[in-house]
């Protein structure tokens, strides 16, 4: 068994034991060294965004003092949901290794598959609507004029 996946499993077990949330643990590694660990804390924090991957990303960014996790790898007990996958991409994590897949996760009562289905352009149009674009473009123009750091 991979030592980093073993750590992710141990982190998930910690979350289960403490009743913090589902069986999801994650470990972020850079240059062969653990940077951060996280587990699902949805129940603990009453926050649906507190997935294991997100918690690990928060800790890694804080520890490394950067929002750019280029050069890092993430090990997670479950295939990342669309939210976590987006966060992984925004963080520039180079590689993801996961244990259980979406079907496995669905079989224990989680609904990740639904979010993949709702991410299609056709389904997205049913609940995401453009509104007041002209006013929001003014806000964008103001931000652009400040020439701030982009991510």
């Amino acid at each position: 068994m991979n030592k980093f996946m073993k750590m992710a499993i141990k982190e998930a077990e910690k979350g289960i034991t403490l009743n913090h949330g589902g069986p999801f643990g994650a470990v972020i590694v850079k240059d062969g060294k653990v940077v951060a660990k996280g587990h699902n804390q949805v129940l603990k924090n009453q926050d649906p965004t507190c997935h294991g991957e997100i918690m690990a990303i928060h800790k890694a960014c804080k520890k490394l003092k950067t929002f750019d996790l280029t050069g890092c790898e993430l090990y997670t007990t479950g295939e990342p949901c669309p939210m976590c996958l987006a966060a992984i991409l925004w963080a520039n994590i180079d590689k993801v290794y996961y244990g259980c897949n979406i079907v496995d996760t669905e079989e224990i009562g989680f609904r990740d598959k639904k979010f993949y289905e709702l991410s299609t352009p056709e389904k997205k149009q049913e609940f995401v609507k453009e509104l007041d674009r002209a006013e929001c473009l003014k806000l964008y123009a103001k931000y652009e004029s400040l020439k701030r750091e982009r991510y």
Side-chain angles (χ1 to χ4, degrees), residues 111-128:
R111 55 194 174 116
D112 294 30
K113 185 177 174 185
K114 174 184 177 180
F115 298 105
Y116 280 101
E117 291 168 355
L118 288 174
S119 297
T120 64
E122 302 80 30
K123 290 286 186 181
K124 183 179 171 187
Q125 289 178 6
E126 293 176 19
F127 66 95
V128 177

Side-chain angles (χ1 to χ4, degrees), residues 59-79:
K59 289 178 182 177
C61 289
K62 189 172 185 176
K63 182 174 182 178
L64 298 175
K65 295 178 175 48
T66 182
F67 58 81
D68 185 354
L69 299 179
T70 297
C72 292
E73 297 177 334
L74 187 142
Y75 295 79
T76 181
T77 56
E79 184 174 353

